[in-house]
Amino acid sequence: MPIVVGYVPTPEGRAAFDRAIEEARLRGLRLVVVNASRGDALVDPRYATSDDWASVRDRLAESGIEHETAQQVAAVDPADQLLRVAHEANAELIVIGLRPRSPVGKFILGSSAQTVLLQAECPVLAVKAAPL
Amino acid sequence: MDGVSSLLDGFATAITPINLLYAFIGVLLGTAIGVLPGIGPAMTIALLLPITVSLEPTQAFIMFAGIYYGGMYGGSTTSILLNTPGESASVVTAIEGNLMAKRGRGAAALATAAIGSFVAGTIGTLALALLAPVIVKLAVQMGAPDYFAVMVLAFIAVTTVLGSSMVRGLASLGVGLLIGTIGIDPTSGQQRLTFGIPELADGIDVVVLAVGLFAVGEALWVAAHLRRAPVEVIGVSNVRMTRDDWRRSWKPWLRGTAIGFPFGAVPAGGAEIPTFLSYAVEKKLTKHPEDFGNGAIEGVAGPEATNNASAAGGLVPLLTLGIPTTATAAVMLGAFQTYGIQPGPRLLDTQATLVWGLIASLFIGNVILLALNLPLATVWARLLRIPRPYLYAGILFFASIGAYAANNSTFDLWLLLVIGLLGFLMRRYGLPVVPAIIGIILGPAAEKQLRRALQISNGELGGLYNTWFSRAVYAVIVILLVAPPLIRWIRSRRDAGGTPIAQHHANVEGQ
């Protein structure tokens, strides 16, 4: 029954990651960090760079909690990939980052957070970026 | 009329608002497609061929030339920030340019690439304006055997120079020449390779061919290799060069121009060879040899100047002889044909407004490109975030419209699919596409000259090499065919290690 966190290299994503570590420590659970991309564009800023991903691993090693990392490219939306990982691991909690979106932007592009919130089989903890 | 006064007339044509607008659209589009790997100026011009129906030739060619130049600028951005060359002409730039970006000197690399392209493009265009009338004077004295010899040179140069193997190049050329013969034989009126299909009697429309090979072929190829992990883009703040960068860049710019222009002007397969050459020269002449291998600015400045100069040089044979040396020039030749304009030595007289307006607009386009690329390079890099399914769906959409509009027949759509499949298979089996497209477009012209030469000599084969000019050209062809294997043989005997540059000769579309 691990905690699954959707990691994105943005302030929201980092906030979610920090909170997930905290939750995992609190509950004494394993933490699964997922970073995903559809891989259909040449450049995806939401796909962690190798340096960034290495720093995530360092953070996890430092924290001393039991953990697992998965960086994957598949033909479905990152939100669906996160849900699949959570389903397969039988997750107790999903942690995601939330960012402010304009109604129009959300209408056109959809929202990964919404997909996760509505379709997850377990409770979802949504974290906002720390105010600057 | 000498070059300078005609050029001033050309500026009068190019400076009209509507022509300025088309030049702007051209360079904008050119930069965009230059940034995107796999989509080159040749494909873009092919996709835009159908609009020639509604556009004046001058405006269409001003736009096409803007795309041609813009592609050279845009390619460097992708090379430097992503280590993925946007164009085959920017392959060399990726070597030092990406290393510079990784060391946090990406801004200087982008700047030297843009300014170098501007310097080389301007000098190259000036050389084009001065050289074109001179070559035309020589070209009017050329007979059918001379033309045929130059065309054979173009075929051989393109096949031997591009890609990894001569056999593959020749195979691709053969495919192109074969497709070029489909239709009614212009001399005897006989149908060739039409298999009794009436739609084939007119030959295959150049739009269908170019769009099929480049756009549909590339789209299928990308669709077959869709998923891969995204590449890291290196962030760059403001694009600026230090005094030291200027000092180290200006000589490579000028040397690159000197190397690129002649290589573009002779039929030698475009910008690949001269950019490699420029890189080698800069590496040898540099005062900072320790920088090569971890981001030397000379290694960006030289090749980037070279590829723009060779783009200018490539217009010389196109406008004076009607002989394309690159895929883009070949597609532009196709555009001339759809307008019913016969490119050749008489073009400068019969279409003076078009040619000089085109050349003048190249100067203007260069200025616009500098203004677009220097401050906006990182904005252009954002184009790379477009998901490829959207991009290629759009391309296929325009490809189909273009193919259908060519003759208003659904037969052409089926043909487009077949040729697209051919383009896909050629990519799959490593056959370069450029020789095929040059074979298709130049093949019928070469055949005409061949038969004319043979008719003059009453079928004597000697009629093909009875002038000193044709003999000289054939001598060059023999050297081209014999030299590379010979050099390889000598090298293998000396047992030199493989150069790391060779593997960069990836399957990138020709410019």
Side-chain angles (χ1 to χ4, degrees), chain B residues 330-473:
Chain B
V331 180
M332 280 169 83
L333 186 69
F336 275 120
Q337 286 163 357
T338 54
Y339 275 119
I341 297 171
Q342 208 39 258
R346 300 221 320 279
L347 189 72
L348 239 60
D349 285 332
T350 55
Q351 300 283 342
T353 347
L354 189 162
V355 174
W356 290 108
L358 173 67
I359 293 174
S361 79
L362 289 176
F363 284 105
I364 298 169
N366 250 316
V367 178
I368 304 175
L369 277 169
L370 188 65
L372 276 179
N373 276 277
L374 214 45
L376 296 175
T378 44
V379 178
W380 286 113
R382 278 175 176 248
L383 280 179
L384 296 164
R385 293 186 193 172
I386 301 174
R388 274 171 288 190
Y390 300 162
L391 207 59
Y392 282 92
I395 287 172
L396 283 179
F397 174 74
F398 279 109
S400 314
I401 288 187
Y404 181 73
N407 291 313
N408 282 333
S409 90
T410 42
F411 178 78
D412 279 346
L413 284 179
W414 291 110
L415 216 51
L416 179 76
L417 268 181
V418 171
I419 294 165
L421 210 61
L422 178 72
F424 172 73
L425 290 175
M426 287 176 75
R427 283 171 174 81
R428 168 69 186 77
Y429 294 105
L431 292 171
V433 183
V434 181
I437 198 82
I438 291 199
I440 288 169
I441 291 176
L442 200 55
E447 190 199 353
K448 202 169 84 187
Q449 300 292 354
L450 170 67
R451 295 173 81 157
R452 195 177 285 165
L454 287 175
Q455 277 169 349
I456 293 167
S457 70
N458 264 327
E460 282 288 323
L461 273 178
L464 292 180
Y465 48 86
N466 56 7
T467 59
W468 65 267
F469 184 81
S470 55
R471 276 186 219 134
V473 174

Side-chain angles (χ1 to χ4, degrees), chain B residues 189-333:
Chain B
Q190 227 162 13
Q191 294 207 0
R192 293 186 299 193
L193 294 172
T194 56
F195 306 105
I197 303 169
E199 283 92 341
L200 284 179
D202 281 343
I204 303 176
D205 197 280
V206 67
V207 176
V208 179
L209 283 168
V211 165
L213 274 182
F214 284 119
V216 181
E218 179 70 23
L220 291 174
W221 176 249
V222 167
H225 300 82
L226 189 55
R227 311 270 160 214
R228 44 177 140 146
V231 198
E232 292 172 27
V233 101
I234 300 167
V236 167
S237 51
N238 53 343
V239 176
R240 200 168 285 162
M241 286 168 73
T242 62
R243 187 181 292 266
D244 188 47
D245 291 334
W246 281 95
R247 206 167 43 72
R248 287 174 62 177
S249 288
W250 70 270
K251 274 189 202 149
W253 290 340
L254 296 182
R255 276 196 289 264
T257 314
I259 294 170
F261 187 80
F263 264 92
V266 299
E272 288 199 342
I273 298 290
T275 45
F276 279 105
L277 206 64
S278 162
Y279 179 77
V281 166
E282 296 311 330
K283 197 168 177 176
K284 192 149 263 174
L285 291 181
T286 180
K287 290 198 187 89
H288 308 263
E290 72 284 356
D291 273 4
F292 270 84
N294 50 59
I297 194 162
E298 292 93 342
V300 179
E304 270 309 304
T306 306
N307 70 29
N308 270 62
S310 83
L315 291 175
V316 174
L318 178 70
L319 294 176
T320 59
L321 303 174
I323 293 173
T325 56
T326 61
T328 316
V331 180
M332 280 169 83
L333 186 69

Side-chain angles (χ1 to χ4, degrees), chain B residues 83-104:
Chain B
N83 200 17
T84 308
E87 297 305 320
S88 60
S90 306
V91 171
V92 186
T93 314
I95 304 174
E96 294 296 323
N98 189 251
L99 289 168
M100 279 183 78
K102 279 193 179 138
R103 275 191 358 193

Side-chain angles (χ1 to χ4, degrees), chain B residues 40-98:
Chain B
M43 184 207 275
T44 315
I45 296 176
L47 283 172
L48 287 173
L49 277 179
I51 66 149
T52 54
V53 179
S54 58
L55 226 59
E56 298 242 341
T58 313
Q59 288 153 12
F61 281 104
I62 283 176
M63 187 163 76
F64 291 166
I67 293 172
Y68 190 21
Y69 271 31
M72 296 285 168
Y73 274 77
S76 63
T77 307
T78 323
S79 281
I80 291 167
L81 296 181
L82 256 75
N83 200 17
T84 308
E87 297 305 320
S88 60
S90 306
V91 171
V92 186
T93 314
I95 304 174
E96 294 296 323
N98 189 251

